[in-house]
Amino acid sequence: MPKRVLILGATGSIGRSALEVAAALADEIRIVGLTAGSDAASLAELARRFSVPAVAIADENAFDQLRRAVPAGTRVLAGAEGLVELVQTTEADFVLAAIVGAAGLPATLAAVEQGRVVGLANKESLVMAGALLMPLAVARGATLIPVDSEHSAIFQALHAGRREDVRRVILTASGGPFRSWPAERIAAATLAEALRHPTWNMGPKITIDSATMVNKALEIIEAHWLFGLPPEQIDVLIHPESIVHSLVEFQDGSLIAQLGTPDMKTPIQYALTYPRRVPGIADRLDWRQVGCLRFELPDPARFPALELGYAAARRGGCSGAVFNAANEAAVTHFRNGRIPFGRIVRLAEQVLGRHVDVAQPGLADLLAADRWAREEVERCL
Ligand code: NAD
Ligand code: MG
């Protein structure tokens, strides 16, 4: 029987790569639901191409357009609640969480509540609410399989030994487009420069996060929750070629890594077929093209975002939610030309510094912290 797959964020970079993977594995995968933020035309086109019985769009104003554009008989839902309802009412064997940002939390949470196997690309939901999602997954029998390439690499490398024998994990980072730039030049970088990632082709928000290295900061928090590791056991190493996707160091000093081309179709497919490994469409590594692999330590002076990630992971509570939301708001302002590039991380730092935390936050506290951080960014401007 084919695996029934629901894709949240189908029109995005990850969503479309997942659909390519699914098309190549058509014998074993059936798409049973798709969602998008506001692009009704693209969602309808994908629904038609993959004969998908149910779709949901977050933007309620796009409901009529979507309903008219999908084949007759397609179930159409709208609004943030519509996405959650789709997750709750669709019999799926696998849910790919690939919405960008904190907006992905409700649907990801719903999939975990349903006890699904969840391929997690939407790292922001874990950064924000890992303290809720991880225990909920255990309670509901849900399985979280990382799709983020570093965390997929660690997930794979962890199979080489016992969890109690892990000394640390090492997240690799390309360093982004400004890896070798001086601080002054980084501070004044343009949107076009920030969107020119050297190795990965991704959606705009994560591409800007890679340029500030907030992406790696978020990934520190993501690894903390996914693998139950304290921040001291999570290191970051710059690796400009993006071929070694991350490493696990065991107590005996052995380092186990996962390598491959920088192509998200590999970790997406691995999550979809786990624990099987099947031939796929991702680019394969050609060693004749690789040349040398470089590794360097990150520079905390030029990339202060990393330390913010560690600080938020150490503090816990609502810190992840605050850090993430402040960054999302700041990135939006940068994209709209309201603040210079250098202000993004400074705003996140400022807002994180002003936040008064609550112990053991529940979902309402986390959502309130997310709202507060976005408002605080406005007040700082
Ligand atoms: P993207 O911007 O290309 O796509 C985002 C998707 O989310 C789209 O389908 C969009 O319609 C939907 N969306 C946007 N706002 C929404 C809202 N308010 N409600 C519901 N849906 C909404 O982003 P992406 O690059 O595909 O990234 C998706 C997630 O995967 C992010 O969390 C990102 O950090 C993570 N990720 C991406 C990559 C990559 O290579 N692109 C790699 C690792 C992790
Ligand atoms: Mg990553």
Side-chain angles (χ1 to χ4, degrees):
M1 205 170 93
K3 190 176 271 189
R4 297 164 300 180
V5 173
L6 171 59
I7 302 183
L8 305 168
T11 55
S13 165
I14 292 286
R16 286 178 184 278
S17 293
L19 285 167
E20 276 183 63
V21 169
L25 301 177
D27 293 347
E28 50 180 287
I29 288 176
R30 189 154 56 85
I31 307 295
V32 292
L34 298 176
T35 80
S38 57
D39 185 351
S42 296
L43 181 58
E45 200 266 312
L46 294 172
R48 192 176 291 276
R49 191 177 338 146
F50 289 87
S51 308
V52 181
V55 293
I57 191 139
D59 179 359
E60 301 193 7
N61 297 322
F63 174 74
D64 283 330
Q65 189 199 346
L66 179 60
R67 203 167 37 88
R68 281 194 302 270
V70 291
T74 309
R75 187 167 169 236
V76 181
L77 296 163
E81 322 74 49
L83 266 65
V84 169
E85 190 183 335
L86 183 72
V87 175
Q88 287 170 339
T89 56
T90 304
E91 290 287 329
D93 304 300
F94 184 98
V95 177
L96 180 66
I99 293 171
V100 62
L105 179 63
T108 304
L109 201 56
V112 171
E113 245 157 23
Q114 297 288 313
R116 304 293 187 219
V117 178
V118 179
L120 189 80
N122 177 217
K123 66 190 86 185
E124 295 93 343
S125 61
L126 208 50
V127 168
M128 187 177 171
L132 298 185
L133 280 168
M134 297 312 291
L136 187 67
V138 174
R140 298 300 171 97
T143 308
L144 288 179
I145 305 180
V147 168
D148 211 350
S149 58
E150 297 78 0
H151 304 73
S152 175
I154 291 168
F155 181 74
Q156 296 178 55
L158 284 171
H159 286 71
R162 302 189 310 171
R163 290 301 280 264
E164 57 268 44
D165 296 335
V166 171
R167 180 152 181 273
R168 59 174 179 154
V169 299
I170 302 168
L171 296 167
T172 53
S174 70
F178 310 144
R179 177 178 60 85
S180 55
W181 287 24
E184 317 75 65
R185 192 168 166 216
I186 295 175
T190 67
L191 179 59
E193 288 168 333
L195 287 174
R196 215 173 291 134
H197 197 278
T199 50
W200 294 97
N201 182 7
M202 312 181 285
K205 191 262 180 179
I206 184 175
T207 303
I208 293 167
D209 285 351
S210 300
T212 55
M213 289 200 75
V214 165
N215 183 48
K216 214 47 57 178
L218 299 176
E219 290 184 356
I220 290 166
I221 305 170
E222 183 186 11
H224 163 65
W225 289 119
L226 274 176
F227 307 118
L229 291 168
E232 313 83 72
Q233 279 177 277
I234 305 168
D235 282 352
V236 172
L237 190 61
I238 306 290
H239 167 46
E241 290 77 18
S242 300
I243 283 173
V244 177
H245 294 310
S246 277
L247 310 92
V248 175
E249 182 179 331
F250 288 94
Q251 295 298 352
D252 62 354
S254 289
L255 288 150
I256 309 291
Q258 185 256 348
L259 285 70
T261 53
D263 184 342
M264 287 306 295
K265 291 194 282 298
T266 303
I268 290 168
Q269 176 176 307
Y270 182 72
L272 273 169
T273 63
Y274 176 79
R276 293 162 60 234
R277 293 181 182 274
V278 300
I281 51 169
D283 292 339
R284 279 168 186 270
L285 200 59
D286 177 356
W287 288 102
R288 287 165 303 193
Q289 308 276 316
V290 171
C292 82
L293 298 178
R294 291 166 294 169
F295 299 92
E296 51 193 62
L297 293 178
D299 177 359
R302 289 181 306 126
F303 296 100
L306 288 178
E307 188 37 48
L308 291 183
Y310 281 114
R314 276 193 299 267
R315 273 183 230 166
C318 294
S319 295
V322 168
F323 175 51
N324 176 66
N327 175 65
E328 278 188 31
V331 167
T332 301
H333 285 310
F334 171 66
R335 289 174 70 182
N336 294 335
R338 274 192 77 191
I339 60 169
F341 183 82
R343 186 104 192 261
I344 300 174
V345 173
R346 272 193 286 126
L347 274 171
E349 182 172 23
Q350 225 174 331
V351 171
L352 193 58
R354 287 187 196 176
H355 181 249
V356 183
D357 217 339
V358 291
Q360 307 280 341
L363 183 59
D365 301 308
L366 294 168
L367 294 172
D370 174 283
R371 259 195 317 275
W372 174 85
R374 289 170 203 267
E375 290 161 8
E376 197 63 19
V377 166
E378 300 306 314
R379 285 188 283 271
C380 289
L381 289 182

